[in-house]
Amino acid sequence: MALAHLPKRKFDVVIVGAGGSGMRASLQLARAGLNVAVLSKVFPTRSHTVAAQGGIGASLGNMSEDNWHFHFYDTVKGSDWLGDQDAIEFMCREAPKVVYELEHFGMPFDRNPDGTIYQRPFGGHTANYGEKPVQRACAAADRTGHAMLHTLYQQNVKARTNFFVEWMALDLIRDSEGDVLGVTALEMETGEVHVLQAKCTLFATGGAGRIYAASTNAFINTGDGLGMAARAGVPLQDMEFWQFHPTGVHNAGVLLTEGCRGEGAILRNANGERFMERYAPTLKDLAPRDFVSRCMDQEIKEGRGCGPNKDYINLDMTHLGGETILKRLPSVYEIGHNFANVDITKEPIPVVPTIHYQMGGIPTNIHGQVVVPKDGTPNAVVNGFYAVGECSCVSVHGANRLGTNSLLDLLVFGRAAGNHIVASALASRNHKDLPADAADRSLERLARLEASTSGEYAQDVANDIRKSMQQHAGVFRTQAVMDEGVVQIAAIAERVKHIGLKDKSKVFNTARIEALEVDNLIEAAQATIVSAAARHESRGAHTVNDYGDTPQHPNGRNDEEWLKHTLWFSEGNRLDYKPVNLKPLSVDSVPPKVRSF
Ligand SMILES: Cc1cc2nc3c(=O)[nH]c(=O)nc-3n(C[C@H](O)[C@H](O)[C@H](O)COP(=O)(O)OP(=O)(O)OC[C@H]3O[C@@H](n4cnc5c(N)ncnc54)[C@H](O)[C@@H]3O)c2cc1C
């Protein structure tokens, strides 16, 4: 079926994704009177943001002395200097404003006795530039994301945002000038393909954590935005950097928030030792995640893991007392019962580092505009295309994100992108004409599945991607293991082209949807493994045994050659690089130095 026969709708703005970032952006737009469509594969309040537990980072200073300069410093250092300092300054300065705004939208934060917002300590959050832990994570018990997502949804309903629930965006529409004109989408209920035309298209599709086998992420986190961008010629930035969260429940993957350690929980090895004191004398259990995950792995490797197979670490909260646990960590208490059969008030719970967050994504500037290399400049704006949230790379998290900086990133850049679009006076502009081939890529993908009479199950191929990524792009990497991963993932990419679809029915056909998702998983996996194998140093979450600690390159970080962002292009599986912005907007730069805690 050609373009002319497909149903079409026009909007000022189409947003793909109804998580925290998509709904913060849509709120800004709908309130300004623009005609906004928000697409989501699931009901908005089921987006992965709902699972966020620990908190939102903002230097309110309600419970200990804090200011945005400390937050800025911690974030730059946490990023292992790969974060862009202009974007980090912007985020940290905006933080108190967006948190108070959220409070006024009705967000049910926990309260201090004086009525101010409750804040807990978190990994890598310090006062006085690394001197001591600070209380910066604004929390609603251990259900912060749940409270935030529901608050934003209610505000969007009030502002009359149009939601397209259970609609899956398939591909980005670009014309011959490279301008973005909207998306094609599958209405999951009917199986029908639609064209959604827009003056601006904003991706807020979340992370791709499902490219790994053991993940804290929701099943829908298949990196669709990354896949759509990559297929349309947009590069993906810094995809080698994936965060392992230190405390996923052993054998279940379910997350136990860093808020546990914020409230005082302790990691112990088989000897009962609080081993983090040895590795990070100042921050101990609250060192940043990349660091703690590696220490845990080290303990297990050296034979001090817990349990019959010595393959996990114990997270001990027994000394916190039942009352604190039930007040501050009620979901963690339930998770202990349901996923580990453990009463955390009485015994420690087994944990292992588990994949959690992608630091990389679609490259943007601080207005959320997608930027690509063009005519000699590294950051040329793609007209009509924005990205915010976990699918984007602005880049505030660099090589390692600090806990609570993601929910913050959603609010700050969702709002900023919304404001930028509003300021661009869309109402007075016409829609550009759609090119004749606008829907071809999607229709070809669907036709291939439709025509298949044999071929592998999508799930079998997806599971092999996950197995391979888990093995070849883990907490500790070696050059040989990554190189082997590049070969394996390239081989799986060939298999993706021959996936078969047995059930050809239209209505709510989840098999077709899963097959379409695999097209996105493979782009994210390729980007990750190819970018990782090419980075010959250790930095943040990308730790390679071959590039270890030397006097010239402490911790294996090589700033002379590798203080730069990776750009991966799907076409030709090709890499390019661009400089890191070490210049903040108004303050002095934090120059690179050795990272210790
Ligand atoms: C268990 C867990 C706990 C966390 N805790 C914290 C925390 O305490 N603090 C913190 O700062 N960060 C935390 N994080 C990280 C943070 O929650 C996420 O990075 C963030 O919520 C992602 O938000 P988002 O808006 O980018 O995307 P998401 O909330 O993941 O939403 C993505 C949206 O895109 C839609 N979508 C995707 N593909 C398509 C498609 N093809 N078509 C249509 N719609 C599509 C989905 O339906 C969904 O609506 C946590 C993450 C996890 C997994």
Side-chain angles (χ1 to χ4, degrees), residues 17-18 21 40-41 47-49 52 54-55 167 169 206 224 357 390 404 406-407:
S21 63
S40 178
K41 290 199 283 190
S47 304
H48 188 64
T49 301
W167 279 56
D224 295 2
Y357 183 85
E390 192 170 334
T404 76
S406 173
L407 292 185

Side-chain angles (χ1 to χ4, degrees), residues 7-31:
K8 294 181 204 65
R9 302 183 196 220
K10 282 185 184 177
F11 299 91
D12 289 325
V13 185
V14 166
I15 296 181
V16 184
S21 63
M23 289 211 284
R24 186 63 194 84
S26 61
L27 183 58
Q28 216 65 7
L29 299 167
R31 281 182 157 191

Side-chain angles (χ1 to χ4, degrees), residues 359-552:
M359 266 71 75
I362 303 167
T364 72
N365 62 21
I366 61 172
H367 309 298
Q369 294 176 288
V370 175
V371 291
V372 297
K374 195 180 172 189
D375 303 333
T377 76
N379 295 314
V381 167
V382 177
N383 287 327
F385 192 24
Y386 289 74
V388 290
E390 192 170 334
C391 74
S392 71
C393 183
V394 47
S395 121
V396 283
H397 310 303
N400 172 63
R401 172 176 73 89
L402 293 188
T404 76
N405 268 356
S406 173
L407 292 185
L408 176 62
D409 156 8
L410 312 182
L411 295 171
V412 168
F413 294 102
R415 182 179 186 277
N419 285 345
H420 196 264
I421 294 171
V422 170
S424 67
L426 289 188
S428 60
R429 269 198 265 146
N430 289 327
H431 287 85
K432 272 182 102 175
D433 289 335
L434 290 176
D437 64 357
D440 285 8
R441 191 179 293 119
S442 300
L443 295 176
E444 277 161 25
R445 289 171 63 204
L446 287 162
R448 190 186 72 207
L449 292 174
E450 219 53 43
S452 65
T453 50
S454 57
E456 289 183 86
Y457 278 119
Q459 277 317 307
D460 292 341
V461 180
N463 285 338
D464 283 352
I465 294 176
R466 295 179 180 126
K467 245 188 260 165
S468 182
M469 292 305 292
Q470 194 77 25
Q471 264 174 13
H472 297 99
V475 175
F476 280 106
R477 303 167 174 187
T478 72
Q479 191 61 51
V481 162
M482 290 186 296
D483 290 343
E484 195 189 314
V486 171
V487 175
Q488 276 197 11
I489 292 292
I492 299 175
E494 283 307 306
R495 287 165 55 197
V496 170
K497 295 180 189 154
H498 305 289
I499 283 174
L501 181 69
K502 282 213 174 109
D503 174 2
K504 305 274 181 1
S505 64
K506 292 277 184 217
V507 176
F508 276 121
N509 184 344
T510 51
R512 182 181 285 109
I513 290 157
E514 283 172 6
L516 291 164
E517 285 174 340
V518 178
D519 287 342
N520 300 320
L521 286 175
I522 193 67
E523 299 286 351
Q526 290 254 36
T528 301
I529 196 74
V530 171
S531 305
R535 184 173 280 272
H536 293 180
E537 65 157 356
S538 293
R539 183 186 297 271
H542 176 68
T543 295
V544 187
N545 291 359
D546 308 58
Y547 314 116
D549 195 33
T550 64
Q552 200 193 350

Side-chain angles (χ1 to χ4, degrees), residues 66-366:
D66 200 8
N67 62 57
W68 74 261
H69 297 272
F70 297 164
H71 190 182
F72 170 74
Y73 172 84
D74 289 344
T75 305
V76 173
K77 181 177 173 187
S79 83
D80 217 350
W81 277 272
L82 195 75
D84 287 328
Q85 296 193 18
D86 57 338
I88 296 176
E89 178 182 335
F90 182 73
M91 180 176 82
C92 297
R93 290 184 76 159
E94 291 279 297
K97 191 187 342 179
V98 295
V99 166
Y100 287 133
E101 214 173 34
L102 192 64
E103 181 183 34
H104 295 162
F105 291 159
M107 168 90 174
F109 282 113
D110 281 5
R111 300 285 165 180
N112 294 314
D114 66 357
T116 55
I117 294 172
Y118 171 73
Q119 298 184 277
R120 57 164 61 109
F122 239 75
H125 295 195
T126 71
N128 280 339
Y129 311 105
E131 222 170 64
K132 55 182 181 197
V134 76
Q135 292 184 245
R136 186 179 292 146
C138 308
D142 56 0
R143 297 174 181 138
T144 310
H146 184 273
M148 172 170 141
L149 201 60
H150 280 262
T151 303
L152 289 173
Y153 179 64
Q154 287 162 2
Q155 289 294 328
N156 269 283
V157 170
K158 187 171 157 195
R160 299 189 184 280
T161 302
N162 301 298
F163 285 103
F164 288 73
V165 176
E166 295 178 337
W167 279 56
M168 179 186 186
L170 297 177
D171 279 293
L172 200 57
I173 301 175
R174 289 183 88 179
D175 66 9
S176 57
E177 291 168 320
D179 295 356
V180 168
L181 308 182
V183 292
T184 51
L186 182 79
E187 185 180 6
M188 288 153 77
E189 184 183 349
T190 61
E192 198 174 11
V193 177
H194 296 249
V195 172
L196 303 180
Q197 229 182 317
K199 297 172 191 170
C200 272
T201 304
L202 183 144
F203 275 8
T205 51
R210 282 283 154 187
I211 63 169
Y212 283 87
S215 173
T216 66
N217 278 210
F219 286 107
I220 54 168
N221 289 10
T222 49
D224 295 2
L226 305 179
M228 289 188 274
R231 283 192 296 274
V234 174
L236 303 181
Q237 183 174 324
D238 296 339
M239 286 297 293
E240 61 270 45
F241 299 100
W242 278 87
Q243 178 161 82
F244 283 77
H245 195 295
T247 56
V249 176
H250 179 238
N251 281 338
V254 179
L255 180 81
L256 299 175
T257 172
E258 196 166 278
C260 300
R261 280 168 290 139
E263 297 292 342
I266 290 170
L267 291 163
R268 297 188 192 280
N269 61 20
N271 308 328
E273 183 204 2
R274 184 181 191 181
F275 57 89
M276 280 311 299
E277 284 179 332
R278 259 191 284 126
Y279 296 96
T282 310
L283 294 186
K284 303 187 177 87
D285 301 86
L286 284 176
R289 291 174 181 177
D290 58 334
F291 192 81
V292 177
S293 292
R294 281 196 293 277
C295 300
M296 292 168 69
D297 227 46
Q298 195 70 25
E299 290 296 302
I300 293 172
K301 273 205 188 97
E302 290 175 6
R304 291 187 293 279
C306 307
N309 302 321
K310 298 183 168 300
D311 59 350
Y312 61 80
I313 295 293
N314 274 328
L315 182 68
D316 184 3
M317 288 175 262
T318 51
H319 54 288
L320 300 184
E323 200 184 324
T324 302
I325 288 177
L326 291 177
K327 181 166 177 204
R328 299 290 184 209
L329 303 164
S331 304
V332 170
Y333 179 78
E334 282 171 23
I335 291 169
H337 266 299
N338 295 338
F339 292 94
N341 198 21
V342 158
D343 178 347
I344 59 166
T345 63
K346 300 205 172 80
E347 49 189 329
I349 181 165
V351 293
V352 286
T354 305
I355 206 72
H356 184 59
Y357 183 85
Q358 83 184 38
M359 266 71 75
I362 303 167
T364 72
N365 62 21
I366 61 172

